Protein backbone atom coordinates (compact mmCIF):
# COMPACT_ATOMS: atom_id res chain seq x y z
CA UNK A 1 0.00 0.00 0.00
CA UNK A 2 1.39 3.37 -1.05
CA UNK A 3 0.43 6.48 0.89
CA UNK A 4 1.15 10.13 0.17
CA UNK A 5 0.63 13.05 2.59
CA UNK A 6 1.08 16.64 1.40
CA UNK A 7 0.38 20.15 2.63
CA UNK A 8 -0.40 21.81 -0.70
CA UNK A 9 0.08 25.38 0.65
CA UNK A 10 -2.75 27.91 0.76
CA UNK A 11 -5.24 26.07 -1.42
CA UNK A 12 -2.64 25.05 -3.99
CA UNK A 13 -2.98 28.08 -6.24
CA UNK A 14 -4.61 28.01 -9.67
CA UNK A 15 -1.27 27.77 -11.50
CA UNK A 16 0.27 25.16 -9.21
CA UNK A 17 -2.80 22.96 -8.90
CA UNK A 18 -2.46 21.06 -12.23
CA UNK A 19 1.23 20.42 -11.52
CA UNK A 20 0.46 19.16 -8.03
CA UNK A 21 -2.20 16.81 -9.36
CA UNK A 22 0.20 15.55 -12.05
CA UNK A 23 2.83 14.88 -9.37
CA UNK A 24 0.29 12.99 -7.26
CA UNK A 25 -0.84 10.90 -10.23
CA UNK A 26 2.78 10.07 -11.10
CA UNK A 27 3.45 8.91 -7.53
CA UNK A 28 0.87 6.14 -7.92
CA UNK A 29 -0.31 6.28 -4.32
CA UNK A 30 -3.26 4.18 -3.21
CA UNK A 31 -4.25 6.69 -0.51
CA UNK A 32 -3.61 10.44 -0.64
CA UNK A 33 -4.07 12.86 2.27
CA UNK A 34 -3.93 16.60 1.57
CA UNK A 35 -3.83 19.53 3.96
CA UNK A 36 -4.49 23.25 3.51
CA UNK A 37 -7.21 23.04 0.89
CA UNK A 38 -9.69 25.90 0.54
CA UNK A 39 -13.36 25.85 -0.34
CA UNK A 40 -12.48 27.36 -3.72
CA UNK A 41 -9.99 24.59 -4.55
CA UNK A 42 -11.66 21.49 -3.15
CA UNK A 43 -13.61 20.56 -6.31
CA UNK A 44 -10.51 20.77 -8.50
CA UNK A 45 -8.63 18.36 -6.24
CA UNK A 46 -11.60 16.01 -5.96
CA UNK A 47 -11.91 15.83 -9.75
CA UNK A 48 -8.16 15.58 -10.31
CA UNK A 49 -7.70 12.79 -7.80
CA UNK A 50 -10.64 10.88 -9.25
CA UNK A 51 -9.02 11.14 -12.68
CA UNK A 52 -5.87 9.60 -11.15
CA UNK A 53 -7.86 6.56 -10.02
CA UNK A 54 -8.56 7.81 -6.51
CA UNK A 55 -12.30 7.91 -6.85
CA UNK A 56 -13.27 7.57 -3.20
CA UNK A 57 -12.89 11.05 -1.70
CA UNK A 58 -13.91 12.81 1.52
CA UNK A 59 -13.18 16.38 2.59
CA UNK A 60 -13.63 18.38 5.77
CA UNK A 61 -15.72 21.10 4.12
CA UNK A 62 -18.47 18.62 3.27
CA UNK A 63 -18.61 17.54 6.93
CA UNK A 64 -18.55 21.05 8.44
CA UNK A 65 -21.85 22.10 10.07
CA UNK A 66 -21.43 25.63 8.74
CA UNK A 67 -19.11 26.98 6.07
CA UNK A 68 -19.60 30.54 7.28
CA UNK A 69 -17.20 29.91 10.15
CA UNK A 70 -14.44 28.70 7.86
CA UNK A 71 -12.81 32.05 7.21
CA UNK A 72 -9.57 33.72 8.27
CA UNK A 73 -7.30 31.25 10.06
CA UNK A 74 -10.04 28.60 9.75
CA UNK A 75 -10.25 28.74 5.96
CA UNK A 76 -8.19 25.59 5.42
CA UNK A 77 -9.42 22.00 5.30
CA UNK A 78 -8.27 18.45 4.57
CA UNK A 79 -8.99 15.78 1.98
CA UNK A 80 -8.49 12.01 1.84
CA UNK A 81 -8.70 10.11 -1.45
CA UNK A 82 -8.45 6.36 -1.93
CA UNK A 83 -8.50 3.71 -4.62
CA UNK A 84 -10.69 1.66 -2.32
CA UNK A 85 -14.01 2.31 -0.56
CA UNK A 86 -13.73 5.09 2.00
CA UNK A 87 -16.25 6.08 4.66
CA UNK A 88 -16.05 9.34 6.61
CA UNK A 89 -15.99 9.27 10.41
CA UNK A 90 -17.76 11.96 12.48
CA UNK A 91 -15.48 14.96 13.16
CA UNK A 92 -17.19 15.32 16.55
CA UNK A 93 -15.06 12.42 17.83
CA UNK A 94 -12.20 14.90 18.38
CA UNK A 95 -12.59 17.50 21.14
CA UNK A 96 -10.58 20.22 19.41
CA UNK A 97 -11.22 23.95 18.86
CA UNK A 98 -11.43 23.76 15.04
CA UNK A 99 -12.97 20.41 14.14
CA UNK A 100 -12.42 20.93 10.41
CA UNK A 101 -8.69 20.50 11.09
CA UNK A 102 -9.06 16.72 11.54
CA UNK A 103 -10.55 14.56 8.80
CA UNK A 104 -11.04 10.87 9.56
CA UNK A 105 -12.14 7.95 7.46
CA UNK A 106 -12.19 4.16 7.27
CA UNK A 107 -10.69 2.57 4.17
CA UNK A 108 -11.65 -0.95 3.13
CA UNK A 109 -8.35 -2.37 1.90
CA UNK A 110 -8.68 -5.46 -0.35
CA UNK A 111 -7.23 -8.57 1.20
CA UNK A 112 -6.73 -6.92 4.57
CA UNK A 113 -9.81 -5.20 5.93
CA UNK A 114 -10.54 -1.91 7.65
CA UNK A 115 -7.97 0.84 8.17
CA UNK A 116 -8.61 4.08 10.07
CA UNK A 117 -6.95 7.22 8.70
CA UNK A 118 -6.85 10.53 10.59
CA UNK A 119 -5.58 13.52 8.57
CA UNK A 120 -4.77 16.66 10.55
CA UNK A 121 -3.34 20.12 10.04
CA UNK A 122 -2.33 21.46 13.44
CA UNK A 123 -2.82 25.25 13.71
CA UNK A 124 0.58 27.00 13.99
CA UNK A 125 1.23 28.27 17.49
CA UNK A 126 3.00 31.42 16.31
CA UNK A 127 -0.23 32.77 14.81
CA UNK A 128 -2.91 30.90 16.79
CA UNK A 129 -1.46 30.60 20.30
CA UNK A 130 -2.96 27.99 22.59
CA UNK A 131 -5.34 26.77 19.88
CA UNK A 132 -2.40 24.64 18.73
CA UNK A 133 -1.99 22.93 22.10
CA UNK A 134 -5.71 22.42 22.65
CA UNK A 135 -5.78 20.79 19.22
CA UNK A 136 -2.89 18.46 20.05
CA UNK A 137 -4.42 17.60 23.42
CA UNK A 138 -7.69 16.68 21.71
CA UNK A 139 -5.91 14.52 19.13
CA UNK A 140 -3.96 12.72 21.84
CA UNK A 141 -7.03 12.13 24.01
CA UNK A 142 -8.96 10.64 21.08
CA UNK A 143 -6.15 8.36 19.85
CA UNK A 144 -4.52 7.35 23.16
CA UNK A 145 -6.90 4.40 23.33
CA UNK A 146 -7.02 0.78 22.26
CA UNK A 147 -8.16 0.31 18.66
CA UNK A 148 -9.98 -2.57 17.01
CA UNK A 149 -8.42 -1.88 13.58
CA UNK A 150 -5.03 -0.56 12.40
CA UNK A 151 -4.74 3.23 12.35
CA UNK A 152 -2.77 6.01 10.72
CA UNK A 153 -2.40 9.58 11.98
CA UNK A 154 -0.77 11.88 9.45
CA UNK A 155 -0.47 15.45 8.30
CA UNK A 156 1.21 18.73 9.14
CA UNK A 157 1.83 18.76 12.93
CA UNK A 158 3.80 22.04 13.03
CA UNK A 159 6.23 20.36 15.43
CA UNK A 160 8.95 19.48 16.51
CA UNK A 161 11.39 22.34 16.63
CA UNK A 162 14.42 20.06 16.40
CA UNK A 163 15.41 16.38 16.35
CA UNK A 164 18.75 14.94 17.55
CA UNK A 165 20.56 11.85 16.22
CA UNK A 166 20.14 10.09 19.59
CA UNK A 167 16.33 10.37 19.38
CA UNK A 168 15.86 13.42 21.60
CA UNK A 169 13.42 16.02 20.35
CA UNK A 170 12.93 19.67 21.17
CA UNK A 171 9.43 21.10 21.04
CA UNK A 172 8.33 24.72 20.81
CA UNK A 173 7.44 24.52 24.50
CA UNK A 174 11.01 24.97 25.70
CA UNK A 175 12.55 23.03 28.58
CA UNK A 176 10.52 19.87 29.38
CA UNK A 177 8.94 19.76 32.83
CA UNK A 178 5.93 18.19 34.50
CA UNK A 179 3.99 21.48 34.36
CA UNK A 180 5.03 22.64 30.88
CA UNK A 181 1.68 22.17 29.13
CA UNK A 182 2.94 23.37 25.75
CA UNK A 183 5.84 20.91 25.69
CA UNK A 184 3.65 18.06 26.93
CA UNK A 185 0.99 18.80 24.31
CA UNK A 186 3.48 18.54 21.45
CA UNK A 187 5.50 15.68 22.92
CA UNK A 188 2.50 13.47 23.67
CA UNK A 189 1.50 13.32 20.00
CA UNK A 190 5.06 13.02 18.71
CA UNK A 191 6.24 10.25 21.05
CA UNK A 192 3.63 9.02 23.53
CA UNK A 193 1.16 7.75 20.92
CA UNK A 194 3.68 4.97 20.26
CA UNK A 195 2.39 3.41 23.48
CA UNK A 196 -0.98 3.19 21.72
CA UNK A 197 0.40 1.58 18.56
CA UNK A 198 0.95 4.73 16.54
CA UNK A 199 4.63 4.84 15.56
CA UNK A 200 6.61 7.33 13.48
CA UNK A 201 6.84 5.45 10.17
CA UNK A 202 9.73 7.50 8.78
CA UNK A 203 11.88 7.12 11.90
CA UNK A 204 10.94 3.44 12.28
CA UNK A 205 12.58 2.86 8.91
CA UNK A 206 15.47 5.35 8.97
CA UNK A 207 16.13 5.99 12.66
CA UNK A 208 17.13 9.40 13.97
CA UNK A 209 20.66 9.29 12.61
CA UNK A 210 19.39 10.38 9.20
CA UNK A 211 18.62 14.12 9.12
CA UNK A 212 15.27 14.87 7.56
CA UNK A 213 12.98 17.83 7.03
CA UNK A 214 9.80 18.67 5.16
CA UNK A 215 9.80 22.48 5.10
CA UNK A 216 12.24 25.38 5.43
CA UNK A 217 10.92 28.19 7.62
CA UNK A 218 12.92 31.43 7.73
CA UNK A 219 16.05 29.55 6.75
CA UNK A 220 15.57 26.69 9.26
CA UNK A 221 14.73 23.16 8.15
CA UNK A 222 11.88 21.56 10.11
CA UNK A 223 10.28 18.10 9.95
CA UNK A 224 6.67 19.13 10.49
CA UNK A 225 4.99 16.52 8.28
CA UNK A 226 4.50 13.06 9.77
CA UNK A 227 2.88 9.66 9.37
CA UNK A 228 2.25 7.64 12.53
CA UNK A 229 1.03 4.09 11.90
CA UNK A 230 0.16 0.81 13.59
CA UNK A 231 2.91 -1.81 13.65
CA UNK A 232 0.96 -4.13 11.35
CA UNK A 233 1.78 -1.54 8.68
CA UNK A 234 5.50 -2.06 8.09
CA UNK A 235 7.18 0.80 6.18
CA UNK A 236 9.56 -0.43 3.47
CA UNK A 237 10.04 2.99 1.84
CA UNK A 238 9.67 6.47 3.31
CA UNK A 239 10.81 9.65 1.55
CA UNK A 240 10.24 13.39 1.64
CA UNK A 241 10.03 14.25 -2.07
CA UNK A 242 11.89 17.55 -2.12
CA UNK A 243 11.83 17.74 -5.90
CA UNK A 244 8.30 19.17 -5.69
CA UNK A 245 9.17 21.60 -2.90
CA UNK A 246 12.20 22.82 -4.83
CA UNK A 247 9.99 23.30 -7.90
CA UNK A 248 7.83 25.54 -5.68
CA UNK A 249 4.71 23.40 -6.02
CA UNK A 250 4.36 23.90 -2.25
CA UNK A 251 6.49 25.06 0.66
CA UNK A 252 6.16 21.49 2.01
CA UNK A 253 7.69 18.34 0.54
CA UNK A 254 5.16 15.52 0.20
CA UNK A 255 5.84 12.49 2.37
CA UNK A 256 5.59 9.21 0.44
CA UNK A 257 5.49 5.91 2.32
CA UNK A 258 5.16 2.37 1.01
CA UNK A 259 3.73 -0.06 3.56
CA UNK A 260 3.56 -3.82 3.61
CA UNK A 261 1.15 -5.69 5.83
CA UNK A 262 2.98 -7.50 8.62
CA UNK A 263 0.55 -10.05 10.04
CA UNK A 264 3.10 -11.10 12.70
CA UNK A 265 3.43 -7.61 14.19
CA UNK A 266 2.04 -6.94 17.64
CA UNK A 267 0.94 -3.56 19.02
CA UNK A 268 4.00 -2.73 21.09
CA UNK A 269 6.60 0.04 21.20
CA UNK A 270 9.47 -2.33 20.51
CA UNK A 271 11.60 -0.98 17.68
CA UNK A 272 10.49 2.65 18.05
CA UNK A 273 12.70 5.54 19.01
CA UNK A 274 12.82 6.30 22.72
CA UNK A 275 11.91 9.80 23.84
CA UNK A 276 14.70 10.83 26.20
CA UNK A 277 13.82 14.50 26.33
CA UNK A 278 11.32 14.59 29.19
CA UNK A 279 11.79 14.67 32.97
CA UNK A 280 13.97 11.76 34.08
CA UNK A 281 12.95 11.25 37.71
CA UNK A 282 10.37 8.64 38.77
CA UNK A 283 8.42 11.33 40.60
CA UNK A 284 8.22 13.50 37.50
CA UNK A 285 7.12 10.54 35.39
CA UNK A 286 4.43 9.79 37.95
CA UNK A 287 3.19 13.36 37.81
CA UNK A 288 3.09 13.25 34.03
CA UNK A 289 1.11 10.01 34.15
CA UNK A 290 -1.36 11.59 36.55
CA UNK A 291 -1.76 14.60 34.27
CA UNK A 292 -2.33 12.39 31.25
CA UNK A 293 -4.98 10.49 33.18
CA UNK A 294 -6.58 13.78 34.16
CA UNK A 295 -6.80 14.80 30.50
CA UNK A 296 -8.38 11.47 29.57
CA UNK A 297 -11.05 11.97 32.23
CA UNK A 298 -11.83 15.43 30.88
CA UNK A 299 -10.27 17.54 33.65
CA UNK A 300 -7.95 20.43 32.94
CA UNK A 301 -4.30 19.41 32.44
CA UNK A 302 -3.21 22.16 34.78
Amino acid sequence: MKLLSWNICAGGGAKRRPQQLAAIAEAGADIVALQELTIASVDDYRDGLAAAGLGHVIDSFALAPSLRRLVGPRRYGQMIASRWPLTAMPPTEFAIPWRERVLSGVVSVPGFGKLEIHNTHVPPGASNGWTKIRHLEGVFKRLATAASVPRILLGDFNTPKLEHPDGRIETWGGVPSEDNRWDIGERNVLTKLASHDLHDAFRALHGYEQPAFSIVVRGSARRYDHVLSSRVLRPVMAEYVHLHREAKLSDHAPLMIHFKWDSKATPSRVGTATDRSGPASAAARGQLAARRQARRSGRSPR
Side-chain angles (χ1 to χ4, degrees), residues 138-301:
V139 168
F140 182 77
K141 182 177 180 180
R142 165 64 177 81
L143 298 179
T145 57
S148 59
V149 299
R151 303 180 295 176
I152 291 175
L153 170 67
L154 52 72
D156 177 0
F157 294 5
N158 273 302
T159 186
K161 181 180 181 181
L162 189 63
E163 296 174 304
H164 295 274
D166 61 1
R168 290 179 298 116
I169 66 168
E170 296 180 27
T171 73
W172 291 103
V175 178
S177 69
E178 64 270 17
D179 60 355
N180 186 338
R181 181 183 174 188
W182 196 293
D183 176 76
I184 293 169
E186 292 191 16
R187 194 176 299 279
N188 276 349
V189 170
L190 290 171
T191 67
K192 304 304 182 184
L193 282 177
S195 299
H196 303 277
D197 198 30
L198 283 168
H199 311 271
D200 187 327
F202 183 89
R203 290 305 182 194
L205 184 63
H206 296 293
Y208 279 81
E209 294 80 10
Q210 176 176 318
F213 67 99
S214 60
I215 185 173
V216 177
V217 182
R218 301 182 190 90
S220 297
R222 313 286 187 195
R223 194 173 76 97
Y224 282 172
D225 299 84
H226 304 271
V227 171
L228 310 184
S229 58
S230 297
R231 282 179 59 79
V232 72
L233 299 166
R234 180 168 58 89
V236 294
M237 187 279 286
E239 178 186 2
Y240 291 97
V241 187
H242 287 284
L243 173 68
H244 302 317
R245 181 187 62 82
E246 292 164 355
K248 300 189 184 305
L249 299 189
S250 172
D251 53 348
H252 290 253
L255 175 54
M256 185 77 183
I257 297 189
H258 186 184
F259 290 106
K260 290 197 173 180
W261 304 107
D262 187 351
S263 59
K264 297 180 181 180
T266 56
S268 73
R269 55 192 134 173
V270 176
T272 62
T274 301
D275 175 25
R276 292 186 285 273
S277 306
S281 71
R285 288 195 298 271
Q287 289 172 351
L288 284 178
R291 289 175 183 274
R292 288 196 293 271
Q293 182 59 39
R295 282 194 295 276
R296 294 191 189 104
S297 64
R299 299 194 300 272
S300 169

